[in-house]
Amino acid sequence: MIYGSIYHEKTYAFLPPRVQQALAFARTHDLAALPKGRNDIDGEDVYVNIAHYTTGERNEKIWEAHRAYIDIHVLAEGTESIDVSLIERMQTHPYEEEGDYVPADGAVTQTTIMRPGDFLICYPEDVHRSGVKVDEAAPLKKGIFKVKVE
């Protein structure tokens, strides 16, 4: 897990090229104005899913991890809390290859409050639960970048 701001470009210059490509796209595009759903950046290697939803109670949200893609959550509008825990601390369920989805259950290790311009990189070993309300349920717009694991 790496948490930061899309505007601190030099700080994150050490990240792999595909991750930097996703963060550069987030800096140079208005994510809130992009159409909902998948928006291609570099074919299957890098793309962004634009999501609009309302945050909710922690117990209403699901834990997930991925194997083929790194998730980079970038908030465009609103606030949300994202819980993260290391995969070895979670009870995982069978991998669903078609959706690159590993369902999981367990306890929170870290919680990050996301605001516009913030990013959270979740690697395959970072189980995450997004969409948790900060103070009260509220609408948000965000990009969830999918970066193929190299």
Side-chain angles (χ1 to χ4, degrees):
M1 173 190 92
I2 299 174
Y3 168 75
S5 169
I6 61 172
Y7 304 110
H8 298 164
E9 183 176 357
K10 290 180 183 177
T11 301
Y12 301 104
F14 69 92
L15 292 169
R18 289 180 185 164
V19 172
Q20 288 188 41
Q21 183 180 20
L23 294 175
F25 186 93
R27 273 192 303 279
T28 58
H29 292 77
D30 180 359
L31 299 180
L34 291 175
K36 287 170 51 174
R38 181 177 169 146
N39 291 261
D40 285 332
I41 299 169
D42 190 11
E44 293 301 313
D45 290 341
V46 182
Y47 61 91
V48 61
N49 290 321
I50 301 299
H52 300 183
Y53 58 83
T54 300
T55 59
E57 297 294 332
R58 181 167 270 116
N59 63 359
E60 298 170 352
K61 304 301 176 181
I62 60 165
W63 284 105
E64 66 177 2
H66 311 285
R67 290 186 183 166
Y69 286 90
I70 296 165
D71 268 6
I72 305 175
H73 297 257
V74 180
L75 214 59
E77 294 179 4
T79 60
E80 77 173 322
S81 182
I82 300 179
D83 297 330
V84 181
S85 192
L86 297 172
I87 201 162
E88 61 268 18
R89 296 182 183 163
M90 303 293 283
Q91 177 188 3
T92 58
H93 304 287
Y95 176 60
E96 298 174 21
E97 187 173 356
E98 186 174 323
D100 186 36
Y101 175 68
V102 179
D105 294 299
V108 176
T109 300
Q110 177 68 43
T111 297
T112 302
I113 296 176
M114 301 285 291
R115 293 180 176 82
D118 292 352
F119 71 81
L120 181 69
I121 301 173
C122 295
Y123 288 89
E125 59 273 7
D126 300 323
V127 182
H128 50 284
R129 173 172 56 191
S130 61
V132 177
K133 70 179 187 176
V134 174
D135 294 316
E136 58 187 45
L140 65 75
K141 294 180 181 179
K142 71 187 282 187
I144 304 162
F145 289 84
K146 306 298 275 185
V147 177
K148 191 167 191 96
V149 173
E150 296 184 49

